[in-house]
Amino acid sequence: MDHSITILSEKEKAILESYMLSADGLAEFWGENCEVIIHDLTQLDASVVKIVNGHLSGRQVGAPISEVTLNFVNKMMATPGMNHVTYFAKNKRGEAFKASISAILGEKHQIIGLFCINYYLNTPLLSFMQTFTPITKTESENISETFVENTEELMLNALEDAKKTVYSNKNKEIISLLYQKGIFNLKDSVITIANHLGISKNTVYMHIRNMNK
């Protein structure tokens, strides 16, 4: 394997660290049947520096890189523009999984690590459905999220939410809720909200000043 990187710079260590945070989030999203691994290619005999749901393969931090993964690394290094690969495989127990290997690039765009995902295909349907079924409000309040195309739409959605929350529709309370959400940090937010509330921008500024006191 032609791999000249023997030590990571501080910036490259930070790059690997950022992927470790992403590993936790991805594994939580897909559930306990998704294994996520971060490899540090400067230490092939103990390349696993992060693993989530390692019970699926029996590996833990400090485990070496696998032969299959190493072969794919060599292919990626030998093929310009090839920075990821997806394939199907089986573990020693004969359990099938879909795998993805993505290169983590260093300061000079060389491969310094790997972001790997293994999703086990023998996951019971019930377990899979539970992962993607909203929990009841007695366990945790479900979150309603609206995706917008511009900041004005964001302001107006926040305004409508505030109106629904404030039963009496009092402008002061609405502005207070928008202020707490950080809406007034957006450009032209005061004018936009004032126009839709039918009040002057000076009234909006007055309520904001009172909240800052």
Side-chain angles (χ1 to χ4, degrees):
M1 174 177 168
D2 183 15
H3 185 54
S4 59
I5 302 300
T6 58
I7 188 170
L8 299 179
S9 67
E10 290 303 314
K11 183 176 180 179
E12 289 169 335
K13 289 178 182 178
I15 292 172
L16 274 184
E17 183 67 27
S18 69
Y19 277 92
M20 292 183 192
L21 297 176
S22 298
D24 287 318
L26 185 66
E28 182 176 335
F29 178 84
W30 284 104
E32 62 181 11
N33 293 293
C34 179
E35 181 182 58
V36 184
I37 310 102
I38 307 296
H39 290 278
D40 177 352
L41 295 184
T42 65
Q43 46 185 37
L44 297 181
D45 56 343
S47 65
V48 178
V49 291
K50 174 75 175 184
I51 186 165
V52 188
N53 293 330
H55 64 277
L56 294 168
S57 64
R59 289 177 294 176
Q60 57 186 355
V61 171
I65 195 170
S66 71
E67 182 181 354
V68 171
T69 302
L70 188 57
N71 286 335
F72 279 124
V73 171
N74 285 325
K75 288 182 180 180
M76 287 191 287
M77 289 182 172
T79 309
M82 182 181 177
N83 290 322
H84 67 272
V85 63
T86 300
Y87 62 97
F88 291 89
K90 291 184 178 180
N91 62 16
K92 292 182 179 179
R93 298 189 294 269
E95 298 167 331
F97 60 93
K98 184 177 183 179
S100 172
I101 300 175
S102 297
I104 298 175
L105 304 180
E107 291 187 86
K108 299 179 180 179
H109 299 285
Q110 77 279 29
I111 302 177
I112 61 171
L114 302 173
F115 188 93
C116 302
I117 306 167
N118 299 323
Y119 194 87
Y120 281 75
L121 303 178
N122 62 341
T123 301
L125 180 59
L126 177 60
S127 176
F128 179 83
M129 293 302 296
Q130 287 176 336
T131 300
F132 291 96
T133 300
I135 57 180
T136 63
K137 288 193 175 183
T138 56
E139 296 171 325
S140 177
E141 185 178 358
N142 292 327
I143 299 172
S144 176
E145 182 173 8
T146 303
F147 299 100
V148 298
E149 296 182 0
N150 53 63
T151 54
E152 181 177 3
E153 190 176 352
L154 172 61
M155 296 175 207
L156 298 184
N157 281 337
L159 174 59
E160 290 305 313
D161 287 341
K163 286 182 177 180
K164 293 175 183 177
T165 302
V166 181
Y167 179 77
S168 60
N169 203 21
K170 293 180 180 178
N171 291 335
K172 180 179 179 180
E173 295 181 44
I174 291 174
I175 292 171
S176 176
L177 287 172
L178 296 178
Y179 179 82
Q180 292 170 30
K181 290 183 177 182
I183 292 299
F184 292 112
N185 292 322
L186 301 172
K187 183 181 179 181
D188 297 328
S189 57
V190 170
I191 296 174
T192 300
I193 299 303
N195 288 340
H196 283 270
L197 284 178
I199 59 179
S200 70
K201 64 179 183 180
N202 290 332
T203 300
V204 177
Y205 280 124
M206 178 189 70
H207 289 311
I208 293 175
R209 284 196 299 271
N210 288 336
M211 284 180 280
N212 284 325
K213 290 181 179 179

